[in-house]
Amino acid sequence: MVHTLFLVGAILLGVCVGSFLNVVIFRVPAGTFFKGGQRSRCPKCGEPIAWFDNIPIVSWLLLLRGKGRCCGNPISARYPLVEALTAVLVGGLFLWTYPSEESLSIPGLVLLFGFGVWFLAVMIACTFIDIDHRILPDVLTKPTMVVGLLGAVLVPLHPVDPADWFGSLLRGLLGLGTGLLLTDTIRRVASYLFRREAMGFGDVKFMGAIGVFVGWDGAVLTFFLGSIFGAIYGVVHQSITKQAQIFFGPFLAVGAVLTFFFRPEIVNFITVTWPAWQVQLQLSPTILIGIVVLCLACLFLLIRRARRK
C-alpha cells in the first residue's frame, strides 16, 4: 500500500515537472526563461492564463478542451503530451529505483531518484527544443554535466566494486569524455568527408551530458541506438515528405533513456541473444556491424542533404 502511494506521488510529481518543462521548452530558446516574474500566457493571443486553466493535463482535457478560453484558438496537444510523458517516465524511474537499490539508505534513494528526474527532464526538454529550433541549449547540457558528476559522488550514480565515490566519479568522467570524444570524432570525420558541417556541436555537448549519467559504455550504446533510430526516421521521413531536414538530439535522448533503464537487457540482447540467432540462422557475424555502418551512412547523408538547403 505504501509502495503504491509513493508511486502515485511520483506520477503526480512527474506531471508537475512536465508542466514546468513546457515552460522551459518555450522560454529557453526565446531567451526569456531567466527573466522571472512572468505569468503563463496563451500561446496564441498572449493573454494571461488563470490558475484553474493551468492545471496539468486536466485543464487541457476537461476545462479548455484544447482551446484557449480567451480567444478560442486551438492549443497544441503537445502540452498535455509532455506532461503525460514526464509522468510515465518519472513513475517508471520510481519503479526502477525502489527495488533495484535496496542497499542504499532512504536519503540515498531520494538522491538517486532526484538525479534521475533531472536527467529525464533534460532529455525531454532537449528533445522538443531540438525539434522546434534545431538547437540543444548550453544552459541545459552544461549544467547537466556538473549535476551528473555531483550525483556520481553523492549517490553514487555508477555502482562500482568496491563501492566508493572516487570510482563512481571516475566512471562519470569517463562517460563524459567518451560522449564528447565519440560524437566529436564522428562529427569531424563526417564534416571532412562531406566538406561541410555534418553535425552541430550541440550534439557533442549533449552526448557528454548523457555520458556522465550512463557511463562510457552507456554513451557508446546511446550513440549506437540513436544512430539506428535517426537513420530509420530519416529514411522514412524523406520518403514521405521528400525533405531531408532532420534532428539528431531526440534520437540520442531516446537512446539515452533506453540505456538508462534497460542497459543490461539491451547489452544481453546484443552480446548473447543476437549471436545465438546468428548461429541458428547461419548469418554472418558482421551483420550487426553492417547495420550500424549502414545506419550511420544514411544518417550523415540525410544531414548532408539537409545542410545544402
Side-chain angles (χ1 to χ4, degrees):
M1 182 64 180
V2 174
H3 183 274
T4 302
L5 290 176
F6 276 117
L7 175 59
V8 172
I11 293 173
L12 292 177
L13 173 65
V15 173
C16 296
V17 171
S19 180
F20 174 72
L21 290 181
N22 278 320
V23 178
V24 172
I25 292 166
F26 181 78
R27 294 187 181 181
V28 165
T32 61
F33 180 75
F34 295 102
K35 292 186 177 180
Q38 299 181 351
R39 288 181 56 187
S40 296
R41 297 180 178 272
C42 174
K44 299 296 184 180
C45 67
E47 286 294 316
I49 299 177
W51 69 267
F52 49 81
D53 285 336
N54 218 15
I55 302 173
I57 300 179
V58 175
S59 293
W60 191 92
L61 289 176
L62 301 180
L63 299 181
L64 301 176
R65 297 184 179 181
K67 294 183 179 180
R69 188 186 298 275
C70 49
C71 60
N73 288 318
I75 299 176
S76 173
R78 175 186 290 185
Y79 293 100
L81 172 63
V82 169
E83 292 161 356
L85 174 62
T86 310
V88 170
L89 290 179
V90 172
L93 175 66
F94 172 78
L95 295 176
W96 177 82
T97 303
Y98 185 81
S100 63
E101 298 293 341
E102 295 179 353
S103 60
L104 290 178
S105 62
I106 296 299
L109 286 172
V110 173
L111 279 175
L112 181 61
F113 180 77
F115 284 112
V117 169
W118 177 287
F119 175 73
L120 295 175
V122 171
M123 294 302 103
I124 294 171
C126 285
T127 290
F128 288 100
I129 290 175
D130 199 20
I131 290 173
D132 288 342
H133 304 281
R134 302 297 195 272
I135 60 172
L136 294 165
D138 287 354
V139 72
L140 296 179
T141 56
K142 289 183 177 180
T144 300
M145 298 178 191
V146 178
V147 170
L149 293 176
L150 181 63
V153 173
L154 295 179
V155 178
L157 282 177
H158 308 286
V160 291
D161 189 21
D164 70 289
W165 66 269
F166 181 76
S168 179
L169 176 62
L170 180 59
R171 184 171 172 81
L173 288 171
L174 287 173
L176 171 63
T178 301
L180 293 173
L181 183 61
L182 173 64
T183 315
D184 189 49
T185 299
I186 294 176
R187 182 183 73 91
R188 290 176 182 273
V189 171
S191 298
Y192 174 79
L193 293 176
F194 298 146
R195 297 295 189 270
R196 64 183 66 247
E197 186 182 19
M199 184 187 300
F201 198 68
D203 296 305
V204 177
K205 289 176 281 189
F206 189 47
M207 270 300 302
I210 291 171
V212 174
F213 276 84
V214 299
W216 70 268
D217 51 344
V220 174
L221 181 58
T222 294
F223 195 87
F224 167 73
L225 295 174
S227 298
I228 292 178
F229 296 146
I232 294 173
Y233 170 85
V235 171
V236 173
H237 175 75
Q238 184 178 2
S239 65
I240 295 176
T241 66
K242 308 303 179 183
Q243 296 178 356
Q245 293 184 350
I246 65 170
F247 29 74
F248 195 27
F251 305 110
L252 291 176
V254 172
V257 171
L258 290 175
T259 299
F260 186 80
F261 283 120
F262 306 110
R263 173 167 39 190
E265 292 81 1
I266 297 174
V267 171
N268 182 75
F269 174 80
I270 294 174
T271 60
V272 178
T273 305
W274 181 268
W277 285 357
Q278 288 182 326
V279 172
Q280 293 175 2
L281 300 176
Q282 297 182 347
L283 296 175
S284 168
T286 60
I287 188 171
L288 188 61
I289 298 177
I291 292 174
V292 176
V293 172
L294 178 61
C295 287
L296 281 172
C298 292
L299 183 64
F300 286 129
L301 286 174
L302 288 166
I303 294 174
R304 181 191 182 193
R305 289 193 60 186
R307 295 288 182 183
R308 289 178 172 176
K309 298 186 177 183

